[in-house]
Amino acid sequence: MVPLLLVLLLILILFGAGFAVKALWWIAIAVLVLWLIGFVARPKNSGGRWYRW
């Protein structure tokens, strides 16, 4: 019974980690798209930087 519970716990942990990694990839892609849009649509008179920091 204990090995079965350990295997199920391992599957649950790996599934959770896989979901978290997939969500982080989607967030990274969204940030990259926003950065590229800001890079292309930056104002010409601000010294070449579209961000404030």
Side-chain angles (χ1 to χ4, degrees):
M1 184 73 175
V2 172
L4 180 63
L5 289 176
L6 288 176
V7 170
L8 289 175
L9 182 63
L10 183 63
I11 291 171
L12 183 65
I13 289 172
L14 289 177
F15 176 76
F19 179 77
V21 169
K22 190 172 184 179
L24 287 175
W25 270 110
W26 282 113
I27 292 170
I29 289 171
V31 169
L32 178 66
V33 167
L34 289 175
W35 181 78
L36 287 174
I37 290 171
F39 184 76
V40 171
R42 67 177 180 229
K44 302 297 182 200
N45 58 0
S46 66
R49 291 191 335 186
W50 61 273
Y51 48 86
R52 295 185 182 206
W53 42 275

